Amino acid sequence: MSIYANEVLVEAAWLAEHIDDDSIRIVEVDENPELYSQAHIPNAVGFDWRQDLQDPIRRDFLGPEAFGELFGARGISNEHTIVLYGDRSNWFAAYTYWYLKYYGHDRVRLLNGPREKWISDGRPTSTEAPRRPAAVFTAQLGDEAIRARRDEVLAAIDAPTKLVDVRSPAEFSGEIISPPGYEREGAQRAGHIPGAASIPWSQAVGEDGRFKSADELRELYTGKGVLNGEEIIAYCRIGERSAHTWFVLHELLGHERVKNYDGSWTEWGSLVGVPVETGG
């Protein structure tokens, strides 16, 4: 039987039965934040990844104090189990999962399947945002064991570390800098980090956005020469698709030494003096 390394997923049927469970806080984080107001899982809180989860000046994480205040203000405490989901096969839900892990919150799960599947399956939705009293959420110091910085990525080029580019083949080859519609998240140069393996994030999910089995995932990444025991650094354009791959490698497959480079191509492709490769 194909079993994931960690119990980090919840199925839709389970969540439907626990919508009113006060020990759980359901959080929706979408690539398109407007979707939340149109329909969401009842009792779900909505976060805007750009407005709520980013420091707009530094293009960086919120500090631990601000992060804790954000969650506490929405009625989420350290005692709650947070269940995340969103659109785009859970891109930003996985990003928020990784973000929560970075700040030391282990009571977090990801819905196996995106909001599109929940809705297409005819499960209940709401347009009302829940109102809950403020709670206390304390963020720990950031866990640098799961986050890569640019200097570490530069050093990885000549090290055994495996670099995994999870963007589309066209982005990897340098045919395009960013997909149509994402030009403001672009960089100065196109291409990929030298030595990186091209393993698009989408290869880890089925057509319905649910994760493939552990055996299928292990075969995918082993076949690409990634799961050989070395440290892995995943990157994309702004860090959300690579957080999805981090979740697969670290949480589902149990590979301990995996980091997400959230600076990703937006940073790397605009740096002065770092190497870039083009082509397949």
Side-chain angles (χ1 to χ4, degrees), residues 14-21 24 26 41-43 118 124 132:
W14 182 92
L15 185 57
E17 294 176 356
H18 290 79
I19 283 176
D20 296 317
D21 187 338
I24 292 171
I26 307 170
I41 296 175
N43 288 332
W118 180 278
R132 297 190 178 97

Side-chain angles (χ1 to χ4, degrees), residues 55 58 94 133 177 188 220 253 272:
D55 183 313
R58 298 171 58 242
I177 290 180
Q188 294 297 308
L220 168 64
L253 295 183
V272 175

Side-chain angles (χ1 to χ4, degrees), residues 205-265:
V205 299
E207 292 183 0
D208 61 359
R210 298 176 77 250
F211 291 101
K212 292 180 178 178
S213 72
D215 286 343
E216 291 173 307
L217 293 173
R218 198 171 292 109
E219 181 179 359
L220 168 64
Y221 292 100
T222 300
K224 296 287 188 177
V226 170
L227 288 178
N228 64 350
E230 299 293 349
E231 184 175 40
I232 301 170
I233 297 176
Y235 73 93
C236 59
R237 187 182 68 256
I238 60 173
E240 86 292 13
R241 290 177 288 178
S242 49
H244 189 279
T245 296
W246 174 89
F247 179 86
V248 171
L249 293 168
H250 191 274
E251 303 293 84
L252 297 186
L253 295 183
H255 191 85
E256 289 295 326
R257 302 169 64 200
V258 187
K259 295 187 176 186
N260 182 25
Y261 172 37
D262 57 306
S264 281
W265 197 255

Side-chain angles (χ1 to χ4, degrees), residues 83-180:
V83 178
L84 293 153
Y85 77 99
D87 64 349
R88 297 279 188 162
S89 293
N90 283 328
W91 281 0
F92 281 100
Y95 173 85
T96 308
Y97 180 105
W98 169 71
Y99 202 160
L100 282 159
K101 285 285 192 173
Y102 178 78
Y103 277 135
H105 188 75
D106 290 326
R107 295 183 179 185
V108 57
R109 302 290 186 269
L110 195 65
L111 178 62
N112 191 12
R115 77 185 302 278
E116 295 93 330
K117 180 167 176 52
W118 180 278
I119 293 172
S120 67
D121 286 347
R123 297 191 181 277
T125 62
S126 174
T127 57
E128 296 184 7
R131 295 183 179 180
R132 297 190 178 97
V136 176
F137 188 101
T138 303
Q140 300 177 21
L141 294 177
D143 181 4
E144 296 300 324
I146 64 171
R147 188 184 189 192
R149 312 285 182 150
R150 60 193 179 199
D151 289 344
E152 183 177 1
V153 176
L154 181 61
I157 294 174
D158 297 317
T161 302
K162 301 297 182 181
L163 296 167
V164 177
D165 188 315
V166 315
R167 298 174 299 162
S168 67
E171 291 171 274
F172 179 84
S173 68
E175 179 183 343
I176 59 175
I177 290 180
S178 57

